[in-house]
């Protein structure tokens, strides 16, 4: 098991390094600089500002010192938000994104697995068609379509829920964004679960369990489900990436103070250090979750470990 | 064998023999299954209509997509000659929507083609050559897979400015990963087949074997995946446009129209509702076709 983890880390660390490198040089290749304002700075001032942030040195040297700083846990100051470091910005804003993402994925997993199992048990019945219909709708209606429509309906017309804002994470403010984020995931998870379950239910060991006379509930919950959710585990990584994409949109539509909104703005403003900090943060998160998914997979399915 | 025994020389016997010999190919079988799938057929019909509309529709309308009519600002649907209404600048929504559909479909097809070419070449070579080459090539795919791709597309758009060619390339360049994995898996299986061995024994070069024997046999799973990639690409583009990084005004894509509509939805619901319906309808067509094709081509799930 330790060797398995070691092998995975061996892939993950170079990946992270590659992400940092590519993002660094891409960001610097972009035209414009964080110090562009309406009025052109005089050359002397510009030189001073650049020197202040060490940006007067050759790019390669800047890259090396940046990587060195990051390895020491120093992500540098923000270039746009004066007297804030990148770490402070991350700390102040990650909670909103995290709460949104975690509640969305756990709700989606709960509902999706339940729906998928029900559909598989009643294959080709009306429950099955209903669930698959919902799944198709969930896949085909993009986040940025469903979100404004829900705001229009529940916010503006019915006035049951607030149109947006964070309000300290009040439940009312959370319902719409979390629903919007969870919906496509429910669709995908229920499809995956259904497909996995149908396949497993036809397998020999389930037939054996039935022949032994085990109650249907035990067969489904204890024997079949464990194998049927395997594809779901490997979906964990992509799911997280999907949530991330969704949160960029959701945070914009519902005007939430999360990281996603920061990323686009910072990239447009050429706030190099903030963008880099976020890329590193998200890449680490995704790599970590992929690692966790691999580990759970290996725990559930011994064949992976052996090969 | 029951029934009358036919003399081999009789005419009827020869006819029967011929009928028995003329088998159905796998592709004919697949097409028959596809045509029996009502959702897929409906999807293909609607999609064909949408493509036709996107191609010739703009020419048939009295308004251009970027034509500003001061008198028609916020015109609701079916007024002042605007079937679907007009926006804040009095631009005809139907004209803009057809143009947006054209742009979105074009991006969907072109970017998918880019991903198809890269993915098939990469996967086929990795699978066929095998060994260390395979190991390295698939490791590259693994690494790219775990990147937060949306960040890179955003960085790309920010770095090089949002022009439409770059959108094609950027999205196509990240969508090829799954394709290459599918193709590699299939290639590994195909490599063991007798006809590949025969080709090798006949002295064909590896390049010729890949191009003439491996790639044509990959068609089934690749076609299925392509029909599912196109809607994914259209979604990615709309997503970028929604964040203001995609197609730039006055040009329209379904994404920019929805983004604009979402901003004005309290004033003019039609600006949000109609582009959204078009988008959802288009995506549904592709998904139905993709699902139908998979059921038709991949006999495993039947």
């Amino acid at each position: 098991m330790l060797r398995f983890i070691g092998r995975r880390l061996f892939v993950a660390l170079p990946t992270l390094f590659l992400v940092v490198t590519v993002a660094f040089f891409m960001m610097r290749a972009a035209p414009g600089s964080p110090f562009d304002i309406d009025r052109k700075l005089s050359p002397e001032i510009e030189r001073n500002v650049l020197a202040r942030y060490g940006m007067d040195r050759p790019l390669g040297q800047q890259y090396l010192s940046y990587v060195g700083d990051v390895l020491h846990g120093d992500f540098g100051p923000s270039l746009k938000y004066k007297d804030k470091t990148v770490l402070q910005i991350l700390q102040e804003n990650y909670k909103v994104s995290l709460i949104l993402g975690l509640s969305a994925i756990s709700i989606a997993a709960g509902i999706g697995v339940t729906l998928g199992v029900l559909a598989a048990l009643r294959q080709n019945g009306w429950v099955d068609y209903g669930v698959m219909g919902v799944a198709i709708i969930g896949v085909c209606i993009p986040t940025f379509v469903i979100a404004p429509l829900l705001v229009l309906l529940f916010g503006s017309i019915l006035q049951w829920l607030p149109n947006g804002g964070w309000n300290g994470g009040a439940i009312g403010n959370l319902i719409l964004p979390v629903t919007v984020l969870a919906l496509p995931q429910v669709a995908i998870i229920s499809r995956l679960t259904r497909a996995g379950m149908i396949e497993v239910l036809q397998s020999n060991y389930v037939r054996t369990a039935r022949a032994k006379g085990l109650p249907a509930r035990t067969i489904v919950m204890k024997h079949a489900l464990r194998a049927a959710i395997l594809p779901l585990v490997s979906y964990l990584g992509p799911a997280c990436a999907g949530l991330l994409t969704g949160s960029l949109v959701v945070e914009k539509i519902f005007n939430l103070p999360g990281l996603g909104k920061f990323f686009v703005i910072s990239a447009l403003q050429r706030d190099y250090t903030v963008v880099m900090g976020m890329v590193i943060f998200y890449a680490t998160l995704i790599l970590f979750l992929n690692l966790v998914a691999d580990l759970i997979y290996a725990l559930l399915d011994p064949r992976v470990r052996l090969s | 064998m029951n029934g009358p025994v036919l003399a081999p020389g009789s005419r009827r016997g020869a006819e029967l023999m011929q009928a028995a010999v003329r088998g159905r190919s796998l592709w004919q079988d697949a097409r028959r299954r596809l045509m029996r799938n009502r959702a897929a057929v409906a999807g293909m019909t609607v999609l064909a209509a949408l493509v036709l509309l996107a191609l010739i529709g703009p020419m048939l309308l009295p308004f251009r997509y970027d034509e500003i009519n001061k008198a028609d600002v916020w015109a609701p649907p079916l007024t002042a000659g605007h079937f679907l209404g007009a926006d804040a600048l009095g631009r005809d929504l139907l004209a803009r929507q057809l143009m947006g559909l054209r742009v979105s479909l074009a991006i969907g097809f072109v970017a998918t083609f880019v991903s198809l070419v890269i993915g098939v070449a990469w996967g086929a070579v990795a699978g066929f050559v095998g060994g260390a080459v395979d190991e390295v090539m698939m490791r590259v795919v693994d690494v790219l897979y775990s990147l937060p791709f949306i960040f890179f597309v955003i960085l790309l758009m920010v770095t090089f400015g949002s022009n439409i060619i770059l959108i094609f390339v950027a999205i196509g360049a990240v969508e090829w990963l799954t394709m290459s994995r599918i193709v590699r898996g299939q290639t590994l299986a195909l490599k063991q087949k007798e006809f590949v061995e025969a080709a090798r024994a006949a002295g064909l070069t590896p390049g010729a074997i890949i191009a003439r024997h491996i790639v044509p046999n990959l068609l089934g799973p690749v076609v299925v995946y392509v029909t599912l990639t196109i809607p994914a690409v259209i979604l990615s583009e709309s997503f970028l446009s929604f964040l203001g990084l995609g197609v730039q005004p006055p040009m329209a894509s379904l994404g920019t129209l929805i983004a604009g509509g979402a901003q004005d939805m309290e004033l003019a619901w039609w600006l949000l509702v109609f582009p959204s319906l078009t988008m959802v309808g288009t995506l549904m067509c592709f998904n139905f076709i993709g699902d139908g094709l998979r059921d038709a081509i991949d006999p495993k799930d039947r």
Side-chain angles (χ1 to χ4, degrees), chain A residues 19 31 156 191 263 270 282, chain B residues 147 151 158-159 239 266 283 291:
Chain A
V19 172
S156 302
R191 277 180 89 140
F263 181 76
R270 309 283 185 268
Y282 276 122
Chain B
L147 297 185
F151 285 136
V158 169
T159 312
F239 169 78
E266 320 239 335
L283 295 180
D291 283 353

Side-chain angles (χ1 to χ4, degrees), chain A residues 148-205:
Chain A
L149 289 176
L150 286 181
V151 170
L152 190 64
L153 180 62
F154 291 106
S156 302
I157 299 177
L158 295 173
Q159 305 213 322
W160 289 352
L161 295 165
N163 273 347
W166 180 240
N167 195 14
I171 296 289
N173 292 60
L174 277 175
I175 293 178
L176 284 183
V178 169
T179 310
V180 168
L181 269 182
L183 217 58
Q185 305 300 330
V186 170
I188 298 171
I189 291 175
S190 62
R191 277 180 89 140
L192 281 174
T193 312
R194 175 180 176 272
M197 201 69 186
I198 286 176
E199 202 180 318
V200 171
L201 284 178
Q202 289 165 350
S203 65
N204 287 327
Y205 74 89

Side-chain angles (χ1 to χ4, degrees), chain A residues 224-242:
Chain A
L225 193 59
R226 193 176 142 149
I229 58 168
L230 273 181
L232 211 64
V233 174
S234 39
Y235 175 65
L236 194 63
C240 170

Side-chain angles (χ1 to χ4, degrees), chain B residues 25-37 296-297:
Chain B
S25 76
L26 284 172
W27 285 102
Q28 280 171 323
D29 257 355
R31 194 170 62 209
R32 197 169 294 207
R33 280 196 292 272
L34 184 65
M35 286 306 166
R36 269 207 299 269
N37 185 331
I297 293 177

